Amino acid sequence: MQGNTENLCSICRRREAFFLRLYSGERLCKRCFIHSIENKVRVTIAKYGMLDFNDRIAVAVSGGKDSLSLLHILAKIEKEYPKASMVAVSVDEGIRGYRDEALRLASLSCKKLNVEHHVISFKELYGYTLDEIVSRLKESGLEGLTPCAYCGVLRRKALNVIARKVGATKLATAHTLDDEVQTVMLNILHGDVMRIIREKPITNEAWKFVKRVKPLCEIPEKESALYAYIKGIKFQSMPCPYSSEAMRNDVRIFLNRMEEKHPGIKFTVLRSAERIRQALEKIEPKIKLRECASCGEPTTREICQACHLLQIIK
Ligand code: SF4
Ligand code: ZN
């Protein structure tokens, strides 16, 4: 009589499968699952030319599952390149009871992996914590401006500042396939199609901007979480108290439902975005960067968006 081979891993054919990857039909054991994720990241890096053999890579770590999975995967890949180096960078927005805990977990992973960890805070860079910004917005009746609107812009700038400070040649962020396709859909829903150009897996060379790369852009969020669980990575799972991205949540639910019914559809959206991007790049004029008149950081306007937002609450 033949043994039951139905639930064996489709790669090693020896160990029991624990995960069914619906979009590829593979059944994977834990070990082959981990290898498949690490290999997929290697393939993505090569496909988009994300990293050079002698890069100094700054990995943006927030303390959540995706960024800590990315840190572990890149730490492993980086060892294969003796001329490359890696450092972790974090932004402390100043959200009491939330980010402090996440940063503690981020620093724990860094210690374990023997990776330098640098933190920059909103307070030191802008003079206010996000908590203080939110109080000011409430006091002045500016509640139409959400904490996330401030946080997103200020964090983007802070990451660029810290990446330059540590001498990074690349800044790796942990955007997953889900983040990427949600953003594409949101850009379309907001009528902001030209933004699709900017949300690339790898940004163009630009003055004073450290090139950004997204090595997890082809890894579904569910798999990045599973990677962290299997590896026993401690991450923060509590949501941010200011989280108010109602529309993104609707899009997330919609895409997850579509993925359940039509496995692989998120990858189809990603490919569509690539084609839209290629078409748009032909008609979009080259963006000219200049120095922000207030802080000296690169911007397309006279005053950068971060300085503009800070002026509103002063
Ligand atoms: Fe910042 Fe909003 Fe994210 Fe909280 S949910 S960390 S406020 S962007
Ligand atoms: Zn500025």
Coordinates of all heavy atoms in Angstrom, one line a residue, residues 19-100:
F19 N 1.4 24.7 4.8 CA 0.9 25.9 4.2 C 0.6 25.7 2.7 O 1.5 25.2 2.0 CB 2.0 27.1 4.3 CG 1.6 28.3 3.6 CD1 0.5 29.1 4.1 CD2 2.3 28.8 2.5 CE1 0.2 30.3 3.5 CE2 2.0 30.0 1.9 CZ 0.9 30.7 2.4
L20 N -0.6 26.1 2.3 CA -1.0 25.9 0.9 C -0.9 27.3 0.3 O -1.7 28.2 0.7 CB -2.4 25.3 0.8 CG -3.0 25.4 -0.6 CD1 -2.2 24.5 -1.6 CD2 -4.5 24.8 -0.6
R21 N 0.0 27.4 -0.7 CA 0.1 28.7 -1.4 C -0.9 28.7 -2.6 O -0.5 28.1 -3.6 CB 1.6 28.9 -1.8 CG 1.9 30.2 -2.4 CD 3.4 30.3 -2.6 NE 4.1 30.9 -1.6 CZ 5.4 30.7 -1.4 NH1 6.1 29.9 -2.1 NH2 6.0 31.3 -0.3
L22 N -2.0 29.3 -2.4 CA -3.1 29.1 -3.3 C -2.7 29.6 -4.7 O -3.1 29.0 -5.7 CB -4.4 29.9 -2.9 CG -5.2 29.1 -1.8 CD1 -6.3 30.0 -1.3 CD2 -5.7 27.8 -2.4
Y23 N -2.0 30.7 -4.8 CA -1.7 31.3 -6.2 C -0.7 30.5 -7.0 O -0.7 30.7 -8.2 CB -1.3 32.8 -6.1 CG 0.0 33.0 -5.2 CD1 1.2 32.9 -5.7 CD2 -0.2 33.5 -3.9 CE1 2.4 33.1 -5.0 CE2 1.0 33.7 -3.1 CZ 2.2 33.5 -3.7 OH 3.3 33.7 -2.9
S24 N 0.0 29.6 -6.3 CA 0.9 28.8 -7.1 C 0.6 27.3 -7.0 O 1.1 26.5 -7.8 CB 2.4 28.9 -6.6 OG 2.5 28.4 -5.3
G25 N -0.3 26.9 -6.1 CA -0.7 25.5 -5.9 C 0.3 24.7 -5.1 O 0.1 23.5 -4.9
E26 N 1.3 25.4 -4.6 CA 2.4 24.6 -3.8 C 1.9 24.4 -2.4 O 1.2 25.2 -1.8 CB 3.6 25.5 -3.7 CG 4.4 25.7 -4.9 CD 5.4 26.8 -4.8 OE1 5.0 28.0 -4.5 OE2 6.6 26.6 -4.9
R27 N 2.2 23.2 -1.9 CA 2.1 22.9 -0.4 C 3.5 22.9 0.1 O 4.3 22.2 -0.4 CB 1.5 21.5 -0.3 CG 0.0 21.4 -0.6 CD -0.4 19.9 -0.6 NE -1.7 19.9 -1.2 CZ -2.9 20.2 -0.6 NH1 -2.9 20.6 0.6 NH2 -4.0 20.2 -1.3
L28 N 3.7 23.6 1.2 CA 5.0 23.8 1.7 C 5.2 23.4 3.1 O 4.3 23.7 4.0 CB 5.5 25.3 1.5 CG 5.5 25.8 0.1 CD1 5.7 27.3 0.1 CD2 6.6 25.1 -0.7
C29 N 6.4 22.8 3.4 CA 6.7 22.6 4.8 C 7.4 23.8 5.3 O 7.7 24.7 4.5 CB 7.7 21.4 4.9 SG 9.3 21.7 4.2
K30 N 7.6 23.9 6.6 CA 8.1 25.2 7.2 C 9.5 25.5 6.6 O 9.7 26.7 6.2 CB 8.2 25.0 8.7 CG 6.9 25.1 9.4 CD 7.0 25.1 10.9 CE 5.6 25.1 11.4 NZ 5.5 24.8 12.8
R31 N 10.3 24.5 6.5 CA 11.7 24.8 6.0 C 11.7 25.3 4.5 O 12.3 26.3 4.2 CB 12.5 23.5 6.1 CG 13.9 23.8 6.3 CD 14.6 22.6 6.8 NE 15.9 22.5 6.0 CZ 16.7 21.6 6.2 NH1 16.4 20.6 7.0 NH2 17.8 21.5 5.5
C32 N 10.9 24.6 3.7 CA 10.8 25.1 2.3 C 10.1 26.4 2.1 O 10.4 27.2 1.2 CB 10.2 24.0 1.4 SG 11.2 22.5 1.3
F33 N 9.2 26.7 3.0 CA 8.5 28.0 3.0 C 9.5 29.1 3.3 O 9.6 30.1 2.5 CB 7.4 28.0 4.1 CG 6.8 29.4 4.2 CD1 5.8 29.8 3.3 CD2 7.2 30.2 5.2 CE1 5.3 31.1 3.5 CE2 6.7 31.5 5.4 CZ 5.7 31.9 4.5
I34 N 10.3 28.9 4.3 CA 11.3 29.9 4.7 C 12.3 30.1 3.5 O 12.6 31.3 3.1 CB 12.1 29.5 5.9 CG1 11.2 29.5 7.2 CG2 13.4 30.3 6.2 CD1 10.8 30.9 7.6
H35 N 12.8 29.0 2.9 CA 13.7 29.1 1.7 C 13.0 29.9 0.6 O 13.6 30.7 -0.1 CB 14.1 27.8 1.3 CG 15.2 27.2 2.1 ND1 15.5 25.8 2.2 CD2 16.0 27.8 3.0 CE1 16.4 25.6 3.0 NE2 16.8 26.8 3.5
S36 N 11.7 29.5 0.4 CA 11.0 30.1 -0.8 C 10.9 31.7 -0.6 O 11.0 32.4 -1.6 CB 9.7 29.5 -1.0 OG 8.7 30.0 0.0
I37 N 10.7 32.1 0.6 CA 10.6 33.6 0.9 C 11.9 34.2 0.6 O 12.1 35.2 -0.1 CB 10.1 33.9 2.3 CG1 8.7 33.3 2.5 CG2 10.2 35.4 2.6 CD1 7.6 34.0 1.8
E38 N 13.0 33.6 1.2 CA 14.3 34.2 1.1 C 14.8 34.2 -0.4 O 15.3 35.2 -0.9 CB 15.3 33.5 1.9 CG 15.0 33.7 3.4 CD 15.7 32.8 4.4 OE1 16.4 31.9 3.9 OE2 15.6 33.0 5.6
N39 N 14.4 33.2 -1.1 CA 14.8 33.1 -2.5 C 14.0 34.1 -3.4 O 14.5 34.8 -4.2 CB 14.6 31.7 -3.1 CG 15.7 30.9 -2.8 OD1 16.8 31.3 -2.4 ND2 15.5 29.6 -2.8
K40 N 12.7 34.3 -3.0 CA 11.9 35.3 -3.7 C 12.5 36.7 -3.6 O 12.5 37.5 -4.5 CB 10.5 35.2 -3.2 CG 9.5 36.0 -3.9 CD 9.2 35.5 -5.3 CE 8.3 36.3 -6.2 NZ 6.9 36.1 -6.0
V41 N 12.9 37.0 -2.3 CA 13.5 38.3 -2.1 C 14.8 38.4 -2.9 O 15.0 39.5 -3.6 CB 13.8 38.5 -0.6 CG1 14.6 39.8 -0.4 CG2 12.5 38.6 0.2
R42 N 15.6 37.4 -3.0 CA 16.8 37.4 -3.8 C 16.5 37.7 -5.3 O 17.1 38.5 -5.9 CB 17.6 36.1 -3.8 CG 18.5 36.0 -2.6 CD 19.4 34.8 -2.7 NE 20.1 34.5 -1.5 CZ 19.6 33.7 -0.5 NH1 18.5 33.1 -0.7 NH2 20.2 33.6 0.6
V43 N 15.5 37.0 -5.8 CA 15.1 37.2 -7.2 C 14.5 38.6 -7.4 O 14.9 39.2 -8.4 CB 14.0 36.1 -7.5 CG1 13.3 36.4 -8.9 CG2 14.6 34.7 -7.5
T44 N 13.7 39.1 -6.5 CA 13.2 40.5 -6.6 C 14.3 41.5 -6.7 O 14.4 42.4 -7.5 CB 12.2 40.8 -5.4 OG1 11.3 39.8 -5.4 CG2 11.6 42.1 -5.6
I45 N 15.3 41.3 -5.8 CA 16.5 42.2 -5.7 C 17.2 42.2 -7.1 O 17.5 43.3 -7.7 CB 17.4 41.9 -4.6 CG1 16.8 42.2 -3.2 CG2 18.8 42.6 -4.7 CD1 17.5 41.7 -2.0
A46 N 17.4 41.0 -7.6 CA 18.1 40.9 -8.9 C 17.3 41.4 -10.1 O 17.8 42.2 -10.9 CB 18.4 39.4 -9.2
K47 N 16.0 41.1 -10.0 CA 15.1 41.6 -11.1 C 15.1 43.1 -11.3 O 15.1 43.6 -12.4 CB 13.7 41.0 -10.8 CG 12.6 41.4 -11.8 CD 11.3 40.7 -11.4 CE 10.1 41.5 -11.9 NZ 8.9 41.0 -11.3
Y48 N 15.0 43.8 -10.2 CA 14.9 45.3 -10.3 C 16.3 45.9 -10.1 O 16.4 47.1 -10.1 CB 14.0 45.8 -9.2 CG 12.5 45.4 -9.4 CD1 12.0 44.4 -8.7 CD2 11.7 46.1 -10.3 CE1 10.6 44.0 -8.8 CE2 10.4 45.7 -10.5 CZ 9.8 44.6 -9.7 OH 8.5 44.3 -9.9
G49 N 17.3 45.1 -10.0 CA 18.6 45.7 -9.8 C 18.7 46.6 -8.5 O 19.3 47.7 -8.5
M50 N 18.1 46.1 -7.4 CA 17.9 46.9 -6.2 C 19.2 47.1 -5.5 O 19.4 48.2 -4.9 CB 16.9 46.2 -5.2 CG 15.5 46.3 -5.7 SD 14.4 45.5 -4.5 CE 12.8 45.8 -5.3
L51 N 20.1 46.1 -5.4 CA 21.3 46.3 -4.6 C 22.6 46.1 -5.4 O 22.6 45.2 -6.3 CB 21.3 45.4 -3.4 CG 20.1 45.5 -2.4 CD1 20.2 44.5 -1.3 CD2 20.1 46.9 -1.8
D52 N 23.6 46.8 -5.0 CA 24.9 46.6 -5.6 C 25.8 45.8 -4.6 O 25.5 45.9 -3.4 CB 25.6 47.9 -6.0 CG 24.9 48.6 -7.2 OD1 24.5 47.9 -8.1 OD2 24.6 49.8 -7.1
F53 N 26.8 45.2 -5.1 CA 27.7 44.3 -4.2 C 28.3 45.1 -3.1 O 28.7 44.5 -2.1 CB 28.7 43.6 -5.1 CG 29.8 44.4 -5.6 CD1 31.0 44.4 -4.9 CD2 29.7 45.3 -6.7 CE1 32.1 45.2 -5.3 CE2 30.7 46.1 -7.1 CZ 31.9 46.1 -6.4
N54 N 28.5 46.4 -3.3 CA 29.2 47.2 -2.3 C 28.3 48.3 -1.6 O 28.8 49.2 -1.1 CB 30.5 47.9 -2.9 CG 30.1 48.8 -4.1 OD1 28.9 48.8 -4.5 ND2 31.0 49.5 -4.6
D55 N 27.0 48.0 -1.6 CA 26.1 49.0 -1.0 C 26.3 49.1 0.5 O 26.6 48.0 1.1 CB 24.7 48.6 -1.3 CG 24.1 49.3 -2.5 OD1 24.6 50.5 -2.8 OD2 23.2 48.8 -3.2
R56 N 26.0 50.2 1.0 CA 25.7 50.3 2.5 C 24.2 50.5 2.6 O 23.6 51.5 2.2 CB 26.5 51.6 3.1 CG 26.2 51.7 4.5 CD 27.3 52.5 5.2 NE 27.0 52.8 6.6 CZ 27.2 52.0 7.6 NH1 27.6 50.7 7.4 NH2 27.0 52.4 8.9
I57 N 23.6 49.4 3.1 CA 22.1 49.4 3.1 C 21.6 49.8 4.5 O 22.0 49.3 5.5 CB 21.6 47.9 2.8 CG1 22.4 47.3 1.6 CG2 20.1 47.9 2.6 CD1 22.4 45.8 1.6
A58 N 20.7 50.8 4.4 CA 20.0 51.2 5.6 C 18.6 50.5 5.5 O 17.9 50.7 4.6 CB 19.8 52.7 5.7
V59 N 18.3 49.7 6.5 CA 17.0 49.0 6.5 C 16.1 49.8 7.5 O 16.4 49.9 8.7 CB 17.1 47.5 7.0 CG1 15.8 46.8 6.8 CG2 18.2 46.8 6.2
A60 N 15.0 50.2 7.0 CA 14.0 51.0 7.8 C 13.2 50.0 8.6 O 12.5 49.2 8.1 CB 13.1 51.8 6.9
V61 N 13.4 50.0 10.0 CA 12.7 49.1 10.8 C 11.8 49.9 11.8 O 12.2 50.8 12.5 CB 13.6 48.2 11.6 CG1 14.3 47.1 10.8 CG2 14.6 48.9 12.4
S62 N 10.5 49.5 11.8 CA 9.5 50.1 12.6 C 9.3 49.3 13.9 O 8.8 49.8 14.9 CB 8.2 50.3 11.9 OG 7.7 49.0 11.6
G63 N 9.6 48.0 13.8 CA 9.3 47.1 14.9 C 8.1 46.2 14.6 O 7.8 45.3 15.4
G64 N 7.5 46.4 13.4 CA 6.4 45.5 13.0 C 6.9 44.3 12.3 O 8.1 44.1 12.1
K65 N 6.0 43.4 12.0 CA 6.4 42.1 11.4 C 7.1 42.2 10.1 O 8.1 41.5 9.8 CB 5.2 41.2 11.2 CG 4.1 41.8 10.3 CD 2.9 41.0 10.2 CE 1.8 41.5 9.4 NZ 1.9 42.9 8.7
D66 N 6.6 43.1 9.2 CA 7.3 43.2 7.9 C 8.7 43.7 7.9 O 9.6 43.2 7.3 CB 6.4 44.1 6.9 CG 5.0 43.6 6.8 OD1 4.8 42.3 6.8 OD2 4.1 44.4 6.6
S67 N 8.9 44.8 8.7 CA 10.2 45.4 8.7 C 11.2 44.4 9.4 O 12.4 44.3 9.0 CB 10.2 46.8 9.3 OG 9.9 46.7 10.7
L68 N 10.8 43.7 10.4 CA 11.7 42.8 11.1 C 12.0 41.6 10.3 O 13.1 41.0 10.3 CB 11.2 42.5 12.5 CG 11.3 43.7 13.5 CD1 10.8 43.3 14.9 CD2 12.7 44.2 13.6
S69 N 11.0 41.1 9.5 CA 11.2 40.0 8.6 C 12.3 40.4 7.6 O 13.2 39.7 7.3 CB 10.0 39.6 7.9 OG 9.1 38.9 8.7
L70 N 12.1 41.7 7.0 CA 13.0 42.2 6.0 C 14.4 42.3 6.6 O 15.4 41.9 5.9 CB 12.6 43.6 5.6 CG 13.5 44.3 4.6 CD1 13.6 43.5 3.2 CD2 13.1 45.7 4.3
L71 N 14.5 42.7 7.8 CA 15.8 42.8 8.5 C 16.5 41.5 8.5 O 17.7 41.3 8.2 CB 15.7 43.4 9.9 CG 17.0 43.7 10.6 CD1 17.7 45.0 10.1 CD2 16.7 43.9 12.1
H72 N 15.8 40.5 9.0 CA 16.3 39.1 9.1 C 16.8 38.6 7.7 O 17.8 38.0 7.6 CB 15.3 38.2 9.7 CG 15.3 38.3 11.2 ND1 14.8 39.4 11.9 CD2 15.8 37.5 12.2 CE1 15.0 39.2 13.2 NE2 15.6 38.1 13.4
I73 N 15.9 38.8 6.7 CA 16.2 38.3 5.4 C 17.5 39.0 4.8 O 18.4 38.3 4.3 CB 15.0 38.4 4.4 CG1 13.8 37.6 5.0 CG2 15.4 38.0 3.0 CD1 12.5 37.9 4.3
L74 N 17.5 40.3 4.9 CA 18.6 41.0 4.3 C 19.9 40.8 5.1 O 21.0 40.7 4.5 CB 18.3 42.5 4.3 CG 17.3 43.0 3.2 CD1 17.2 44.5 3.2 CD2 17.6 42.5 1.8
A75 N 19.8 40.5 6.4 CA 21.0 40.2 7.2 C 21.6 38.9 6.6 O 22.9 38.8 6.5 CB 20.7 40.1 8.6
K76 N 20.8 38.0 6.2 CA 21.3 36.7 5.7 C 21.9 36.9 4.3 O 23.0 36.5 4.0 CB 20.1 35.8 5.6 CG 20.4 34.4 5.4 CD 19.2 33.5 5.7 CE 19.6 32.0 5.7 NZ 18.5 31.2 5.9
I77 N 21.2 37.7 3.4 CA 21.6 37.9 2.1 C 22.9 38.7 2.1 O 23.9 38.5 1.3 CB 20.6 38.6 1.2 CG1 19.3 37.7 1.1 CG2 21.1 39.1 -0.1 CD1 18.2 38.3 0.3
E78 N 23.0 39.7 3.0 CA 24.1 40.6 3.0 C 25.4 39.9 3.3 O 26.5 40.2 2.8 CB 23.9 41.7 4.1 CG 24.9 42.8 4.1 CD 25.8 42.7 5.3 OE1 25.4 42.0 6.3 OE2 26.9 43.2 5.3
K79 N 25.3 38.8 4.1 CA 26.5 38.0 4.4 C 27.2 37.4 3.2 O 28.3 37.0 3.2 CB 26.1 36.8 5.4 CG 25.9 37.3 6.8 CD 26.1 36.2 7.8 CE 25.6 36.6 9.2 NZ 24.3 36.2 9.5
E80 N 26.4 37.2 2.1 CA 26.9 36.6 0.9 C 27.7 37.7 0.1 O 28.3 37.3 -0.9 CB 25.7 36.1 0.0 CG 25.0 35.0 0.7 CD 23.5 34.8 0.2 OE1 23.2 35.3 -0.9 OE2 22.7 34.2 0.9
Y81 N 27.7 38.9 0.6 CA 28.4 40.0 -0.2 C 29.4 40.7 0.8 O 29.0 41.6 1.5 CB 27.4 41.0 -0.7 CG 26.5 40.4 -1.8 CD1 25.3 39.8 -1.4 CD2 26.8 40.4 -3.1 CE1 24.5 39.2 -2.3 CE2 26.0 39.8 -4.0 CZ 24.9 39.2 -3.6 OH 24.1 38.5 -4.6
P82 N 30.6 40.2 0.8 CA 31.5 40.8 1.8 C 31.8 42.3 1.7 O 32.2 42.9 2.7 CB 32.8 40.0 1.6 CG 32.6 39.1 0.4 CD 31.2 39.2 0.0
K83 N 31.6 42.9 0.6 CA 31.8 44.3 0.5 C 30.6 45.2 0.8 O 30.7 46.4 0.8 CB 32.3 44.6 -1.0 CG 33.7 44.1 -1.3 CD 34.4 44.9 -2.3 CE 35.8 44.4 -2.3 NZ 36.5 44.7 -3.6
A84 N 29.5 44.5 1.0 CA 28.3 45.3 1.4 C 28.2 45.4 2.9 O 28.8 44.6 3.7 CB 27.1 44.6 0.9
S85 N 27.5 46.4 3.4 CA 27.3 46.5 4.9 C 25.9 46.9 5.1 O 25.2 47.5 4.2 CB 28.3 47.5 5.5 OG 28.1 48.8 4.9
M86 N 25.4 46.7 6.3 CA 24.0 46.9 6.6 C 23.8 47.6 8.0 O 24.6 47.3 8.9 CB 23.3 45.6 6.6 CG 21.9 45.6 6.4 SD 21.2 44.0 6.4 CE 20.4 43.9 7.9
V87 N 22.9 48.5 8.1 CA 22.6 49.2 9.3 C 21.1 49.3 9.4 O 20.4 49.4 8.4 CB 23.4 50.5 9.3 CG1 23.2 51.3 8.1 CG2 23.0 51.4 10.5
A88 N 20.5 49.3 10.6 CA 19.1 49.5 10.7 C 18.8 50.9 11.2 O 19.5 51.5 12.0 CB 18.5 48.5 11.8
V89 N 17.7 51.5 10.6 CA 17.4 52.9 11.0 C 15.9 52.9 11.3 O 15.1 52.2 10.7 CB 17.7 53.9 9.8 CG1 19.1 54.1 9.6 CG2 17.0 53.6 8.5
S90 N 15.6 53.7 12.4 CA 14.2 53.7 12.8 C 13.8 55.2 13.1 O 14.7 56.0 13.4 CB 14.0 53.0 14.2 OG 14.3 51.7 14.0
V91 N 12.6 55.5 12.9 CA 12.1 56.8 13.2 C 11.2 56.7 14.5 O 10.3 55.9 14.5 CB 11.3 57.4 12.0 CG1 10.7 58.7 12.4 CG2 12.1 57.5 10.8
D92 N 11.5 57.5 15.5 CA 10.6 57.6 16.6 C 9.7 58.8 16.5 O 10.1 59.9 16.7 CB 11.5 57.7 17.9 CG 10.7 57.7 19.2 OD1 9.4 57.6 19.1 OD2 11.2 57.8 20.3
E93 N 8.5 58.5 16.1 CA 7.5 59.6 15.8 C 7.1 60.3 17.1 O 6.6 61.4 17.1 CB 6.2 59.1 15.1 CG 6.5 58.4 13.8 CD 6.6 56.9 13.9 OE1 6.9 56.4 15.0 OE2 6.5 56.2 12.9
G94 N 7.2 59.5 18.2 CA 6.8 60.1 19.5 C 5.3 59.8 19.7 O 4.4 60.7 19.8
I95 N 5.0 58.5 19.7 CA 3.6 58.0 20.0 C 3.7 57.2 21.2 O 4.1 56.0 21.2 CB 3.0 57.2 18.8 CG1 3.2 57.9 17.5 CG2 1.6 56.8 19.1 CD1 2.8 57.1 16.2
R96 N 3.3 57.8 22.4 CA 3.5 57.1 23.7 C 2.8 55.8 23.8 O 1.6 55.7 23.4 CB 3.2 58.1 24.8 CG 3.6 57.5 26.1 CD 3.5 58.5 27.3 NE 4.3 59.7 27.0 CZ 4.2 60.8 27.6 NH1 3.2 60.9 28.6 NH2 4.9 61.8 27.4
G97 N 3.4 54.8 24.3 CA 2.8 53.5 24.5 C 2.7 52.7 23.3 O 2.3 51.5 23.3
Y98 N 3.2 53.2 22.1 CA 3.1 52.4 20.9 C 4.5 52.3 20.3 O 5.1 51.2 20.2 CB 2.1 53.1 19.9 CG 2.2 52.5 18.5 CD1 1.7 51.2 18.3 CD2 2.7 53.3 17.5 CE1 1.8 50.7 17.0 CE2 2.7 52.7 16.2 CZ 2.3 51.5 15.9 OH 2.3 50.9 14.7
R99 N 5.0 53.4 19.8 CA 6.3 53.3 19.1 C 7.4 52.9 20.1 O 8.4 52.2 19.7 CB 6.6 54.6 18.4 CG 7.9 54.6 17.6 CD 7.9 53.5 16.5 NE 7.0 53.9 15.3 CZ 6.3 53.0 14.6 NH1 6.3 51.7 14.9 NH2 5.6 53.4 13.6
D100 N 7.4 53.4 21.3 CA 8.5 53.0 22.3 C 8.6 51.5 22.4 O 9.7 51.0 22.4 CB 8.3 53.7 23.6 CG 6.9 54.0 24.0 OD1 6.0 53.5 23.3 OD2 6.6 54.8 24.9

